[in-house]
Amino acid sequence: QKEVEQDPGPLSVPEGAIVSLNCTYSNSAFQYFMWYRQYSRKGPELLMYTYSSGNKEDGRFTAQVDKSSKYISLFIRDSQPSDSATYLCAMSAGSYGGATNKLIFGTGTLLAVQP
Amino acid sequence: EPEVTQTPSHQVTQMGQEVILRCVPISNHLYFYWYRQILGQKVEFLVSFYNNEISEKSEIFDDQFSVERPDGSNFTLKIRSTKLEDSAMYFCASKAGSSDTQYFGPGTRLTVL
């Protein structure tokens, strides 16, 4: 079983739609959960960060973590064509057990928002 | 807003040649990382660096790879003898000591011919 699984898409939605992106993971040591946005041939840009379980909202973006199910989600409300990009989930065990905060990434989901 | 910078943006080299990829992390950050992304694949951890030494490295980071912080601002990744399979985007990232979030640079695209 892969450590982090993410549907690669592509996911195509009309402008204004609510987008739901998800990842599952197998390592129960993960404590820190991030969503990055990556445009083609660019570096990952941090969107959302969540520690442990719970919800976090920032503007049109909401991140959810359910540690009991080992499942994380990113919701984008009122999606815009400028949201078209690859969305990467990433997670880390932090410094638990001597770990060094290395990030384990999903494969990324390619999102296209059609005007 | 402070950001991580990387040079060059694109490096083309012949197989067997040495390359050095350069990064300038965010100035007050203490933890430094290199990741790579082969075209069409996921971002993979290579190495983490703290307090002037490697704190963790992946299986990918073999004897052909080395990292260095030669001065107070630069962080470099050296590949001693490049292979075709080293062709990838290489991302540098940095993290403040009090934070759990890593900030990534724009990447260096390495092409080995």
Side-chain angles (χ1 to χ4, degrees), chain A residues 15-56:
Chain A
E15 183 175 354
I18 295 175
V19 176
S20 172
L21 304 167
N22 311 293
C23 288
T24 59
Y25 63 95
S26 58
N27 188 346
S28 57
F30 288 146
Q31 298 284 336
Y32 303 93
F33 304 92
M34 280 138 275
W35 287 94
Y36 286 86
R37 178 172 60 196
Q38 186 179 31
Y39 294 108
S40 182
R41 300 206 173 205
K42 300 293 184 187
E45 172 196 4
L46 181 66
L47 273 180
M48 299 287 286
Y49 157 72
T50 310
Y51 169 68
S52 194
S53 282
N55 293 1
K56 187 172 186 178

Short mmCIF file of all heavy atoms in Angstrom, two decimals, chain A residues 15-56:
data_model
loop_
_atom_site.label_atom_id
_atom_site.label_comp_id
_atom_site.label_asym_id
_atom_site.label_seq_id
_atom_site.Cartn_x
_atom_site.Cartn_y
_atom_site.Cartn_z
N GLU A 15 -16.75 26.88 -13.98
CA GLU A 15 -16.49 28.00 -13.10
C GLU A 15 -17.63 28.15 -12.10
O GLU A 15 -18.81 28.02 -12.45
CB GLU A 15 -16.36 29.28 -13.93
CG GLU A 15 -16.02 30.51 -13.13
CD GLU A 15 -15.77 31.73 -14.03
OE1 GLU A 15 -15.74 31.56 -15.27
OE2 GLU A 15 -15.59 32.83 -13.49
N GLY A 16 -17.29 28.40 -10.83
CA GLY A 16 -18.28 28.56 -9.79
C GLY A 16 -18.60 27.29 -9.03
O GLY A 16 -19.26 27.33 -7.99
N ALA A 17 -18.14 26.15 -9.52
CA ALA A 17 -18.43 24.87 -8.86
C ALA A 17 -17.63 24.74 -7.57
O ALA A 17 -16.62 25.41 -7.36
CB ALA A 17 -18.11 23.71 -9.80
N ILE A 18 -18.12 23.84 -6.71
CA ILE A 18 -17.35 23.46 -5.51
C ILE A 18 -16.50 22.25 -5.89
O ILE A 18 -17.01 21.26 -6.44
CB ILE A 18 -18.29 23.10 -4.35
CG1 ILE A 18 -19.09 24.32 -3.90
CG2 ILE A 18 -17.47 22.55 -3.17
CD1 ILE A 18 -20.12 24.02 -2.84
N VAL A 19 -15.22 22.36 -5.59
CA VAL A 19 -14.27 21.29 -5.93
C VAL A 19 -13.89 20.55 -4.65
O VAL A 19 -13.65 21.18 -3.61
CB VAL A 19 -13.00 21.86 -6.58
CG1 VAL A 19 -11.98 20.76 -6.83
CG2 VAL A 19 -13.35 22.57 -7.90
N SER A 20 -13.84 19.24 -4.73
CA SER A 20 -13.42 18.42 -3.61
C SER A 20 -12.22 17.57 -4.04
O SER A 20 -12.30 16.81 -5.01
CB SER A 20 -14.58 17.50 -3.17
OG SER A 20 -14.13 16.57 -2.21
N LEU A 21 -11.12 17.73 -3.33
CA LEU A 21 -9.90 16.97 -3.61
C LEU A 21 -9.56 16.16 -2.36
O LEU A 21 -9.73 16.65 -1.24
CB LEU A 21 -8.75 17.93 -3.94
CG LEU A 21 -9.02 18.90 -5.11
CD1 LEU A 21 -7.98 20.00 -5.15
CD2 LEU A 21 -9.03 18.13 -6.42
N ASN A 22 -9.07 14.95 -2.57
CA ASN A 22 -8.89 14.06 -1.42
C ASN A 22 -7.58 13.28 -1.49
O ASN A 22 -7.05 13.04 -2.58
CB ASN A 22 -10.03 13.04 -1.39
CG ASN A 22 -11.38 13.68 -1.54
OD1 ASN A 22 -11.84 14.41 -0.69
ND2 ASN A 22 -12.03 13.43 -2.68
N CYS A 23 -7.11 12.89 -0.31
CA CYS A 23 -5.97 11.97 -0.20
C CYS A 23 -6.24 11.01 0.94
O CYS A 23 -6.87 11.38 1.93
CB CYS A 23 -4.67 12.73 0.09
SG CYS A 23 -4.04 13.66 -1.30
N THR A 24 -5.72 9.81 0.78
CA THR A 24 -5.71 8.85 1.88
C THR A 24 -4.26 8.51 2.18
O THR A 24 -3.37 8.68 1.33
CB THR A 24 -6.49 7.57 1.53
OG1 THR A 24 -5.89 6.97 0.37
CG2 THR A 24 -7.95 7.88 1.26
N TYR A 25 -4.03 8.05 3.40
CA TYR A 25 -2.66 7.71 3.77
C TYR A 25 -2.66 6.51 4.70
O TYR A 25 -3.70 6.12 5.26
CB TYR A 25 -1.96 8.91 4.43
CG TYR A 25 -2.59 9.39 5.72
CD1 TYR A 25 -2.10 8.95 6.95
CD2 TYR A 25 -3.65 10.28 5.72
CE1 TYR A 25 -2.65 9.38 8.14
CE2 TYR A 25 -4.22 10.73 6.91
CZ TYR A 25 -3.71 10.28 8.11
OH TYR A 25 -4.27 10.72 9.29
N SER A 26 -1.51 5.90 4.86
CA SER A 26 -1.43 4.67 5.65
C SER A 26 -0.60 4.83 6.93
O SER A 26 -0.76 4.06 7.86
CB SER A 26 -0.83 3.54 4.80
OG SER A 26 0.44 3.90 4.33
N ASN A 27 0.24 5.85 6.99
CA ASN A 27 1.16 6.00 8.12
C ASN A 27 0.49 6.78 9.25
O ASN A 27 0.27 7.99 9.14
CB ASN A 27 2.43 6.72 7.64
CG ASN A 27 3.51 6.76 8.70
OD1 ASN A 27 3.26 6.49 9.88
ND2 ASN A 27 4.72 7.08 8.29
N SER A 28 0.20 6.11 10.35
CA SER A 28 -0.51 6.77 11.45
C SER A 28 0.37 7.78 12.19
O SER A 28 -0.11 8.53 13.04
CB SER A 28 -1.04 5.72 12.43
OG SER A 28 0.01 4.91 12.89
N ALA A 29 1.65 7.83 11.87
CA ALA A 29 2.55 8.80 12.51
C ALA A 29 2.40 10.21 11.92
O ALA A 29 2.88 11.17 12.51
CB ALA A 29 4.00 8.34 12.38
N PHE A 30 1.75 10.32 10.78
CA PHE A 30 1.58 11.65 10.17
C PHE A 30 0.73 12.54 11.07
O PHE A 30 -0.32 12.15 11.54
CB PHE A 30 0.94 11.54 8.79
CG PHE A 30 1.83 10.98 7.72
CD1 PHE A 30 1.29 10.20 6.71
CD2 PHE A 30 3.19 11.20 7.72
CE1 PHE A 30 2.10 9.66 5.71
CE2 PHE A 30 4.01 10.68 6.73
CZ PHE A 30 3.46 9.90 5.73
N GLN A 31 1.26 13.74 11.32
CA GLN A 31 0.59 14.69 12.19
C GLN A 31 0.29 16.01 11.48
O GLN A 31 -0.55 16.78 11.92
CB GLN A 31 1.49 15.01 13.40
CG GLN A 31 1.81 13.83 14.29
CD GLN A 31 0.64 13.46 15.17
OE1 GLN A 31 -0.23 14.28 15.47
NE2 GLN A 31 0.58 12.22 15.59
N TYR A 32 1.05 16.29 10.44
CA TYR A 32 0.98 17.58 9.77
C TYR A 32 0.55 17.34 8.33
O TYR A 32 1.12 16.51 7.63
CB TYR A 32 2.35 18.28 9.81
CG TYR A 32 2.86 18.45 11.21
CD1 TYR A 32 3.69 17.50 11.79
CD2 TYR A 32 2.49 19.55 11.97
CE1 TYR A 32 4.15 17.64 13.08
CE2 TYR A 32 2.95 19.71 13.26
CZ TYR A 32 3.78 18.75 13.81
OH TYR A 32 4.22 18.90 15.09
N PHE A 33 -0.44 18.12 7.91
CA PHE A 33 -1.05 17.89 6.61
C PHE A 33 -1.12 19.20 5.84
O PHE A 33 -1.58 20.21 6.36
CB PHE A 33 -2.46 17.30 6.80
CG PHE A 33 -2.44 16.05 7.63
CD1 PHE A 33 -2.61 16.11 9.00
CD2 PHE A 33 -2.23 14.82 7.02
CE1 PHE A 33 -2.58 14.95 9.78
CE2 PHE A 33 -2.19 13.66 7.78
CZ PHE A 33 -2.36 13.72 9.15
N MET A 34 -0.64 19.15 4.62
CA MET A 34 -0.55 20.35 3.81
C MET A 34 -1.15 20.14 2.43
O MET A 34 -1.18 19.00 1.93
CB MET A 34 0.92 20.77 3.65
CG MET A 34 1.46 21.50 4.87
SD MET A 34 3.13 20.98 5.31
CE MET A 34 2.81 19.54 6.33
N TRP A 35 -1.63 21.20 1.87
CA TRP A 35 -2.02 21.23 0.46
C TRP A 35 -1.17 22.28 -0.24
O TRP A 35 -1.05 23.41 0.22
CB TRP A 35 -3.51 21.55 0.30
CG TRP A 35 -4.39 20.42 0.70
CD1 TRP A 35 -4.96 20.20 1.92
CD2 TRP A 35 -4.78 19.32 -0.14
NE1 TRP A 35 -5.70 19.03 1.89
CE2 TRP A 35 -5.60 18.49 0.64
CE3 TRP A 35 -4.54 18.96 -1.46
CZ2 TRP A 35 -6.18 17.31 0.14
CZ3 TRP A 35 -5.11 17.81 -1.96
CH2 TRP A 35 -5.92 17.00 -1.17
N TYR A 36 -0.58 21.84 -1.34
CA TYR A 36 0.20 22.73 -2.18
C TYR A 36 -0.47 22.81 -3.55
O TYR A 36 -1.08 21.86 -4.03
CB TYR A 36 1.63 22.20 -2.37
CG TYR A 36 2.52 22.33 -1.17
CD1 TYR A 36 2.54 21.37 -0.17
CD2 TYR A 36 3.40 23.41 -1.05
CE1 TYR A 36 3.37 21.49 0.93
CE2 TYR A 36 4.25 23.54 0.05
CZ TYR A 36 4.23 22.57 1.03
OH TYR A 36 5.07 22.69 2.11
N ARG A 37 -0.30 23.96 -4.18
CA ARG A 37 -0.76 24.15 -5.55
C ARG A 37 0.49 24.26 -6.42
O ARG A 37 1.45 24.95 -6.05
CB ARG A 37 -1.61 25.42 -5.66
CG ARG A 37 -2.11 25.74 -7.05
CD ARG A 37 -3.08 26.90 -7.01
NE ARG A 37 -2.48 28.11 -6.47
CZ ARG A 37 -3.18 29.17 -6.05
NH1 ARG A 37 -4.50 29.14 -6.10
NH2 ARG A 37 -2.57 30.23 -5.60
N GLN A 38 0.47 23.59 -7.56
CA GLN A 38 1.62 23.62 -8.46
C GLN A 38 1.16 23.90 -9.87
O GLN A 38 0.38 23.13 -10.44
CB GLN A 38 2.39 22.29 -8.39
CG GLN A 38 3.67 22.29 -9.20
CD GLN A 38 4.44 20.99 -9.10
OE1 GLN A 38 3.88 19.92 -8.95
NE2 GLN A 38 5.77 21.08 -9.18
N TYR A 39 1.65 24.98 -10.43
CA TYR A 39 1.42 25.27 -11.83
C TYR A 39 2.50 24.55 -12.64
O TYR A 39 3.56 24.21 -12.11
CB TYR A 39 1.44 26.77 -12.10
CG TYR A 39 0.29 27.51 -11.42
CD1 TYR A 39 0.51 28.32 -10.32
CD2 TYR A 39 -1.00 27.36 -11.89
CE1 TYR A 39 -0.54 28.99 -9.70
CE2 TYR A 39 -2.06 28.01 -11.28
CZ TYR A 39 -1.82 28.82 -10.18
OH TYR A 39 -2.88 29.47 -9.57
N SER A 40 2.23 24.37 -13.92
CA SER A 40 3.11 23.56 -14.75
C SER A 40 4.56 24.04 -14.69
O SER A 40 4.83 25.23 -14.90
CB SER A 40 2.59 23.59 -16.19
OG SER A 40 3.39 22.80 -17.01
N ARG A 41 5.45 23.14 -14.35
CA ARG A 41 6.89 23.39 -14.31
C ARG A 41 7.28 24.50 -13.33
O ARG A 41 8.26 25.21 -13.53
CB ARG A 41 7.43 23.69 -15.71
CG ARG A 41 7.17 22.54 -16.67
CD ARG A 41 8.15 22.48 -17.78
NE ARG A 41 7.96 21.27 -18.58
CZ ARG A 41 8.90 20.70 -19.29
NH1 ARG A 41 10.10 21.22 -19.31
NH2 ARG A 41 8.64 19.63 -19.99
N LYS A 42 6.48 24.65 -12.26
CA LYS A 42 6.81 25.61 -11.22
C LYS A 42 6.94 24.86 -9.89
O LYS A 42 6.63 23.68 -9.79
CB LYS A 42 5.69 26.67 -11.09
CG LYS A 42 5.45 27.46 -12.35
CD LYS A 42 6.60 28.34 -12.70
CE LYS A 42 6.29 29.21 -13.91
NZ LYS A 42 7.48 29.96 -14.36
N GLY A 43 7.38 25.58 -8.85
CA GLY A 43 7.50 24.97 -7.54
C GLY A 43 6.18 24.90 -6.82
O GLY A 43 5.26 25.68 -7.10
N PRO A 44 6.02 23.94 -5.90
CA PRO A 44 4.80 23.86 -5.10
C PRO A 44 4.63 25.12 -4.23
O PRO A 44 5.57 25.57 -3.61
CB PRO A 44 5.02 22.62 -4.23
CG PRO A 44 6.09 21.83 -4.93
CD PRO A 44 6.96 22.84 -5.59
N GLU A 45 3.39 25.62 -4.21
CA GLU A 45 3.05 26.82 -3.44
C GLU A 45 2.13 26.39 -2.31
O GLU A 45 1.08 25.79 -2.57
CB GLU A 45 2.36 27.81 -4.37
CG GLU A 45 1.77 29.03 -3.72
CD GLU A 45 0.78 29.74 -4.64
OE1 GLU A 45 0.51 29.25 -5.75
OE2 GLU A 45 0.26 30.77 -4.22
N LEU A 46 2.49 26.71 -1.07
CA LEU A 46 1.70 26.28 0.07
C LEU A 46 0.34 26.98 0.08
O LEU A 46 0.25 28.20 0.01
CB LEU A 46 2.44 26.59 1.37
CG LEU A 46 1.74 26.18 2.65
CD1 LEU A 46 1.64 24.65 2.74
CD2 LEU A 46 2.48 26.72 3.87
N LEU A 47 -0.72 26.17 0.19
CA LEU A 47 -2.08 26.71 0.24
C LEU A 47 -2.65 26.63 1.65
O LEU A 47 -3.18 27.60 2.17
CB LEU A 47 -3.01 25.90 -0.67
CG LEU A 47 -3.12 26.27 -2.13
CD1 LEU A 47 -4.09 25.32 -2.82
CD2 LEU A 47 -3.60 27.71 -2.29
N MET A 48 -2.60 25.44 2.21
CA MET A 48 -3.24 25.20 3.51
C MET A 48 -2.36 24.27 4.34
O MET A 48 -1.71 23.37 3.81
CB MET A 48 -4.61 24.54 3.33
CG MET A 48 -5.62 25.35 2.54
SD MET A 48 -6.25 26.74 3.47
CE MET A 48 -7.35 25.93 4.63
N TYR A 49 -2.40 24.50 5.65
CA TYR A 49 -1.66 23.66 6.59
C TYR A 49 -2.57 23.35 7.76
O TYR A 49 -3.23 24.23 8.30
CB TYR A 49 -0.42 24.41 7.06
CG TYR A 49 0.12 23.95 8.37
CD1 TYR A 49 0.76 22.73 8.48
CD2 TYR A 49 -0.04 24.72 9.53
CE1 TYR A 49 1.24 22.28 9.70
CE2 TYR A 49 0.44 24.28 10.74
CZ TYR A 49 1.09 23.06 10.82
OH TYR A 49 1.55 22.63 12.03
N THR A 50 -2.62 22.07 8.14
CA THR A 50 -3.44 21.65 9.28
C THR A 50 -2.62 20.71 10.15
O THR A 50 -1.93 19.83 9.63
CB THR A 50 -4.70 20.89 8.79
OG1 THR A 50 -5.36 21.65 7.78
CG2 THR A 50 -5.67 20.66 9.93
N TYR A 51 -2.74 20.92 11.44
CA TYR A 51 -2.09 20.02 12.38
C TYR A 51 -3.15 19.11 12.98
O TYR A 51 -4.18 19.58 13.45
CB TYR A 51 -1.38 20.79 13.49
CG TYR A 51 -0.91 19.91 14.62
CD1 TYR A 51 0.11 18.99 14.42
CD2 TYR A 51 -1.51 19.98 15.87
CE1 TYR A 51 0.53 18.16 15.44
CE2 TYR A 51 -1.09 19.16 16.90
CZ TYR A 51 -0.07 18.25 16.69
OH TYR A 51 0.33 17.44 17.70
N SER A 52 -2.93 17.81 12.91
CA SER A 52 -3.80 16.78 13.47
C SER A 52 -5.19 16.87 12.83
O SER A 52 -5.35 17.35 11.72
CB SER A 52 -3.85 16.92 14.99
OG SER A 52 -4.40 15.76 15.56
N SER A 53 -6.21 16.42 13.51
CA SER A 53 -7.55 16.36 12.93
C SER A 53 -8.26 17.71 13.03
O SER A 53 -7.91 18.54 13.86
CB SER A 53 -8.40 15.31 13.65
OG SER A 53 -8.07 14.02 13.22
N GLY A 54 -9.25 17.90 12.16
CA GLY A 54 -10.05 19.12 12.25
C GLY A 54 -10.17 19.82 10.92
O GLY A 54 -9.74 19.31 9.89
N ASN A 55 -10.81 20.97 10.96
CA ASN A 55 -11.06 21.78 9.76
C ASN A 55 -10.30 23.09 9.86
O ASN A 55 -10.07 23.61 10.95
CB ASN A 55 -12.55 22.12 9.63
CG ASN A 55 -13.39 20.90 9.36
OD1 ASN A 55 -12.88 19.79 9.27
ND2 ASN A 55 -14.69 21.11 9.23
N LYS A 56 -9.96 23.62 8.69
CA LYS A 56 -9.35 24.94 8.64
C LYS A 56 -9.85 25.64 7.39
O LYS A 56 -9.87 25.04 6.32
CB LYS A 56 -7.84 24.83 8.61
CG LYS A 56 -7.11 26.18 8.74
CD LYS A 56 -5.63 25.93 8.90
CE LYS A 56 -4.88 27.21 9.17
NZ LYS A 56 -3.45 26.95 9.38
#
